[in-house]
Amino acid sequence: ITSMMHSMPNPTAQQTRRDALTSGFARVEYQREHSLYFMGVGIAERFPDYWEMFAKESVESKSAFYVLPETNTQWDAGWLYRNNPWQVSASVFVSDVDDFIVIDYQRHMKTSGVAFNTDARTYGGEISASYKWQSGWQLEGSVAHTQGEDKATGRPLPQISPTEGRLALNYVANDWHYGLLWRLVDS
């Protein structure tokens, strides 16, 4: 491990790691006329990526090699409506994440940032709509919001997408696609 000031041996050099990760989901759908309603539950495990494991430190060490995989258990529900020229969708979700991987650049005075696990809860939703004219024009809009909380501290989670709104005007002619996009993102 090297920094601009000095280098030191990697404490996990030549070590290997194996994790058997599982995932699965179930979804129920009900269709009526132009609407599709759905509800689902799923579990997914995610192995830490390079930036979480090797490029970061842990609280105790210069290596975050032993940061645990995340386990996300999520419930979601939604509605899809399609009836030319309209398409509308709305969805909500809530999830519990065991061993959520946090990257913290401010704690513990570490130079590369600290990766550690905590238990978390996230929830949010999205609504979108589009209207397509026969002449090739299409107007689209959407709003999405996600919130996350560290269950141990009650504080908001980092690395969660902020509230975002989009408004787009598109035109399709033959093989060409033209568009204008206005994107608003919360801080």
Side-chain angles (χ1 to χ4, degrees), residues 22-28 39-45 71-77 93-98:
T22 59
S23 65
F25 73 95
R27 180 169 157 149
V28 177
M39 186 173 11
V41 64
I43 297 174
E45 293 181 308
T71 302
N72 183 16
T73 304
Q74 180 169 309
W75 171 86
D76 60 13
F93 78 92
V94 63
S95 70
D96 251 7
V97 186
D98 295 330

Side-chain angles (χ1 to χ4, degrees), residues 56-65 108 110 113-116:
K56 301 293 176 257
E57 302 176 35
S58 74
V59 175
E60 301 87 20
S61 166
K62 286 286 184 186
S63 172
F65 186 73
H108 307 291
K110 299 282 189 163
V114 174
F116 63 94

Side-chain angles (χ1 to χ4, degrees), residues 3-183:
S3 72
M4 294 173 105
M5 303 301 243
H6 59 83
S7 65
M8 68 172 284
N10 181 343
T12 55
Q14 306 302 317
Q15 293 185 23
T16 60
R17 189 177 159 174
R18 288 182 192 210
D19 290 277
L21 305 179
T22 59
S23 65
F25 73 95
R27 180 169 157 149
V28 177
E29 297 180 350
Y30 173 72
Q31 185 151 5
R32 182 168 183 195
E33 295 182 16
H34 303 289
S35 292
L36 174 71
Y37 304 89
F38 64 89
M39 186 173 11
V41 64
I43 297 174
E45 293 181 308
R46 184 184 73 84
F47 193 77
D49 67 21
Y50 170 83
W51 298 106
E52 294 163 331
M53 187 185 299
F54 295 109
K56 301 293 176 257
E57 302 176 35
S58 74
V59 175
E60 301 87 20
S61 166
K62 286 286 184 186
S63 172
F65 186 73
Y66 294 109
V67 69
L68 298 172
E70 292 178 346
T71 302
N72 183 16
T73 304
Q74 180 169 309
W75 171 86
D76 60 13
W79 166 67
L80 304 171
Y81 174 82
R82 289 191 179 102
N83 188 13
N84 282 337
W86 286 98
Q87 288 191 22
V88 181
S89 68
S91 62
V92 295
F93 78 92
V94 63
S95 70
D96 251 7
V97 186
D98 295 330
D99 300 317
F100 182 85
I101 300 169
V102 176
I103 305 297
D104 189 339
Y105 290 97
Q106 298 176 2
R107 289 184 18 181
H108 307 291
M109 304 296 287
K110 299 282 189 163
T111 58
S112 66
V114 174
F116 63 94
N117 296 104
T118 190
D119 290 336
R121 177 169 291 117
T122 61
Y123 55 90
E126 179 175 14
I127 187 164
S128 64
S130 70
Y131 183 87
K132 187 182 277 188
W133 289 275
Q134 296 284 342
S135 60
W137 288 93
Q138 181 175 8
L139 182 64
E140 300 177 19
S142 67
V143 175
H145 175 77
T146 302
Q147 188 102 11
E149 174 183 289
D150 183 327
K151 289 168 55 174
T153 65
R155 297 184 62 194
L157 285 177
Q159 302 150 224
I160 300 294
S161 300
T163 301
E164 178 178 332
R166 292 173 170 245
L167 188 60
L169 180 62
N170 301 308
Y171 179 72
V172 177
N174 301 324
D175 292 335
W176 290 89
H177 182 114
Y178 306 91
L180 295 171
L181 173 65
W182 186 32
R183 183 174 176 236

